[in-house]
Amino acid sequence: MSEYQTLNFADVSVGDSLPEQDIDITSGLVVSGALATRDYEPVHHDKSVAQAAGLPDVFMNILTSQALMTRFATDWSGPEAVVKSLDIKLGAPNVPGMVMKVTGQVTAKDGDSGVIDIAVTGENNIWGMHMAGTVQLALPQGA
Amino acid sequence: MTPEEIKAFEDQVYAYVGKRVCTATPAKDAVNDTMIRHWTEVMGDTNPAYTNPEWAAQSARGKTIAPPAMMYVWNQEGYAVASTGRPSDAQSDLVQLFNDNGYTGVLGTNVKQEYFAEASPGDQIVMEMVIDTISERKATARGTGYFYETLATFSNQDGVKLGTQRFRVLKFIPQEQPAAAKSDSALEVPTRIASPRGHDNKWWWEACDEGRVMIQRCTSCQTLRHPPRPMCGECQSTEWDAIESTLDGEVLSFTCLRHPAIPGYPKDPICAVIKLDEGTHLVANVVGCEYDDVSIGMRLKGKVEQVDEKTMLPQFYPA
Ligand SMILES: [Zn+2]
C-alpha cells in the first residue's frame, strides 16, 4: 500500500535507540534554514553582525534546530506518527564547518495515550551540546 | 547599581509580567504548500505527510499537514527585522529596558512547543503572545541577569487551539566576552592532551610519531619492559635498546570510558590492556568495533594512526 512504514506503539520499547544522524552545518544550511523559517535576524545570515556578537560566523537559528529534531524523530517513527511536543534546551551554537551528531532513545511510553517520549541530543564536534530535549510522538495503536 | 536603583529597575521590569506582546494576530499567509516545501527542502525532511498529497490522501489524516515545528514560522515578522528592525511591542520594549541598564547579553535557553491539533494547507494561524514570567535576578555562568518567558498560543480560523510555545530568554550583563573572531581563521578544534615526554620516555613517543611502537629491551638479560623506564627490573642494568612491536596481540582486560564527552576525544572510547605477542602489555584504544563485540582473549592488530591534528597513537582493531 505504501512505501512509508510507521511504527506501532507496540513495536517500540523503552531503551530503543534511534538511528544517529550526522548533520553537516554549512553556511547554506544556516542561511537557508533561517529563511525557510522566516527568521531574518541578521546574526543568521550576516557574518559581520554575527562576529560583532562574539561568534566566528553566522549561526543556526532555533527554528532550524527544532526542525532537525522533529525530522530526527519522524524519520525513525514514520509519517503516521503525530508530534505532540518538542522541548529543547539550547546549548552551544551551530556554526558552519561543524558536524552535529543527533542521537536519541525512547525513554517513556504511555499506554493510555499511545504517546512515547524520545530523549534527543544534538552535539556538534567542536563545542559539544547544541540541543538536548524531548520529542513526544503519538504512535498508531496498530490493528 | 545601588540596592535602591536595582529596586527601581526591577519595579519597571516586573511591570511587564502579563503584558501582551501581540493580541490575536493572523499570519500574513495561510498555511500553504510553497512555504512547507521550502522548509522541508532545507531541513531534508522527506515526511510524506507534509509534501505528498497522494500518500496523505490514503493516510489516517486524509490530507497533508504543515510540519508541527513550523507553528511559529507562519507568524514571523519577515524581512523587516533585517532592515528596519522589529516593531515596538511589549517584548522589544522590555529588551530595550534591559539593554539600557547594561543587560545587553541575550541567550535563548529553552523552547517548548506543545501541539494539540495539526494544521493543514488553507488554515489561517492566529497567534497571541504574552510575557508570562520574569525571574528574580540571578547569577549565571554568563553573567548576572533575568530569565523572561514568553507564552504564545496558536489557533486556527475556527478558534481551534493548535498549540502553545514557551520561550525562555536570559538577558544578562555580559562578563568577559570571548574575543570576537576578527578574521576568517578556522574554528579552533580541541585536540588531545599532549603526551608527557620526559627524559626516560621521550624516545618512545618520538618513535610513535614516526609510526612505530617500540618495546624497551635490557641489553644485559634481554628482558622486555614497558612502559619505558631507566633500569631493568630483573638484573638492574641501565643498558638498553629497543625492538619494534608487530602490534599483534590480544585483549587482557578492557572497559568503556563512559564519561561526558571530552573535547578532542571520541565519546565512550573502549580502553584495553593489550598483551602484545612480544610479551609486554600496552594500554590503548580498541576501535573499529562495538564495545559489545570486545572480549577477553580477542585477537587484535594495531596500527599507529593520527588521531587528531597533532597526535599519533597506536589504535587496535579486531584481527
Ligand atoms: Zn636486565
Side-chain angles (χ1 to χ4, degrees):
Chain A
M1 170 185 97
S2 166
E3 64 190 288
Y4 301 104
Q5 301 295 317
T6 298
L7 296 170
N8 283 325
F9 184 75
D11 300 334
V12 174
S13 304
V14 171
D16 286 355
S17 289
L18 280 66
E20 292 181 3
Q21 292 184 348
D22 282 336
I23 311 252
D24 284 326
I25 312 301
T26 61
S27 303
L29 176 60
V30 171
V31 175
S32 306
L35 300 193
T37 54
R38 284 180 58 74
D39 185 346
Y40 292 89
E41 285 291 347
V43 288
H44 304 309
H45 65 256
D46 186 332
K47 185 170 182 170
S48 63
V49 177
Q51 290 188 339
L55 281 138
D57 203 339
V58 292
F59 57 94
M60 183 175 281
N61 70 330
I62 296 165
L63 285 153
T64 299
S65 308
Q66 289 178 301
L68 296 174
M69 199 184 248
T70 324
R71 175 193 140 190
F72 173 76
T74 56
D75 276 1
W76 165 77
S77 67
E80 298 276 20
V82 176
V83 184
K84 302 304 288 181
S85 75
L86 197 62
D87 189 356
I88 301 186
K89 181 176 160 55
L90 297 158
N94 271 349
V95 178
M98 296 178 171
V99 179
M100 177 169 70
K101 184 180 284 295
V102 188
T103 57
Q105 207 170 39
V106 178
T107 53
K109 283 183 78 175
D110 180 49
D112 294 334
S113 60
V115 172
I116 62 165
D117 289 13
I118 306 165
V120 181
T121 302
E123 264 185 1
N124 70 49
N125 59 327
I126 310 286
W127 288 338
M129 198 278 278
H130 166 72
M131 60 182 186
T134 305
V135 181
Q136 288 188 309
L137 298 181
L139 296 180
Q141 292 285 6
Chain B
M1 285 202 279
T2 66
E4 292 73 26
E5 285 167 341
I6 290 177
K7 169 81 170 64
F9 168 62
E10 290 189 344
D11 284 347
Q12 283 181 279
V13 166
Y14 291 131
Y16 280 90
V17 175
K19 279 204 179 169
R20 293 199 169 279
V21 178
C22 68
T23 52
T25 309
K28 295 185 178 82
D29 297 286
V31 173
N32 65 84
D33 293 328
T34 308
M35 285 169 65
I36 292 173
R37 182 163 46 76
H38 292 172
W39 186 98
T40 55
E41 279 182 10
V42 174
M43 306 310 172
D45 197 327
T46 55
N47 192 330
Y50 308 149
T51 50
N52 185 334
E54 293 76 35
W55 178 86
Q58 51 78 52
S59 71
R61 298 179 181 94
K63 57 183 177 177
T64 58
I65 57 163
M70 282 186 82
M71 186 165 66
Y72 182 62
V73 170
W74 308 104
N75 288 77
Q76 284 270 54
E77 206 58 53
Y79 184 63
V81 168
S83 48
T84 53
R86 288 192 182 278
S88 170
D89 61 32
Q91 183 173 202
S92 55
D93 294 350
L94 173 63
V95 166
Q96 192 60 48
L97 174 63
F98 278 127
N99 290 346
D100 291 346
N101 284 273
Y103 295 83
T104 53
V106 61
L107 184 71
T109 64
N110 291 81
V111 54
K112 177 168 189 174
Q113 293 188 332
E114 287 186 88
Y115 312 108
F116 309 128
E118 294 172 326
S120 283
D123 284 343
Q124 185 71 49
I125 295 189
V126 176
M127 179 177 82
E128 293 175 76
M129 192 189 284
V130 296
I131 295 169
D132 197 47
T133 61
I134 301 176
S135 76
E136 45 186 40
R137 183 183 160 88
K138 291 194 171 172
T140 77
R142 295 294 186 122
T144 297
Y146 298 82
F147 291 91
Y148 76 86
E149 194 168 86
T150 54
L151 171 61
T153 307
F154 302 87
S155 314
N156 68 12
Q157 64 284 355
D158 302 322
V160 174
K161 198 167 162 185
L162 300 175
T164 57
Q165 169 176 283
R166 286 188 169 277
F167 186 28
R168 198 144 75 106
V169 176
L170 173 64
K171 283 296 288 175
F172 59 99
I173 299 173
Q175 295 183 317
E176 275 178 60
Q177 291 283 46
K182 291 280 185 279
S183 68
D184 280 342
S185 61
L187 291 170
E188 193 156 319
V189 179
T191 52
R192 298 186 179 203
I193 298 163
S195 51
R197 301 186 182 205
H199 177 268
D200 294 318
N201 67 354
K202 183 163 171 261
W203 66 274
W204 191 92
W205 286 106
E206 285 173 350
C208 194
D209 289 343
E210 290 162 8
R212 289 173 293 139
V213 170
M214 305 303 291
I215 306 172
Q216 208 173 16
R217 179 173 63 181
C218 173
T219 48
S220 154
C221 74
Q222 304 295 303
T223 301
L224 297 174
R225 62 181 190 261
H226 183 83
R229 48 194 183 269
M231 185 185 284
C232 174
E234 298 299 318
C235 74
Q236 286 74 53
S237 168
T238 55
E239 301 301 315
W240 58 270
D241 61 5
I243 61 164
E244 183 177 348
S245 171
T246 61
L247 297 180
D248 294 302
E250 65 181 54
V251 175
L252 195 66
S253 173
F254 68 103
T255 188
C256 181
L257 187 63
R258 298 202 194 272
H259 188 278
I262 302 167
Y265 291 82
K267 192 159 159 38
D268 300 343
I270 305 168
C271 305
V273 179
I274 295 153
K275 183 176 193 293
L276 295 173
D277 285 358
E278 289 83 6
T280 57
H281 300 166
L282 180 68
V283 177
N285 291 132
V286 177
V287 296
C289 66
E290 299 294 319
Y291 178 68
D292 289 342
D293 299 331
V294 181
S295 58
I296 288 171
M298 173 182 179
R299 293 293 299 171
L300 298 171
K301 177 69 189 173
K303 264 194 278 189
V304 179
E305 292 183 336
Q306 186 157 8
V307 294
D308 68 20
E309 213 169 276
K310 59 183 186 194
T311 314
M312 297 286 284
L313 274 184
Q315 304 277 286
F316 284 80
Y317 292 82

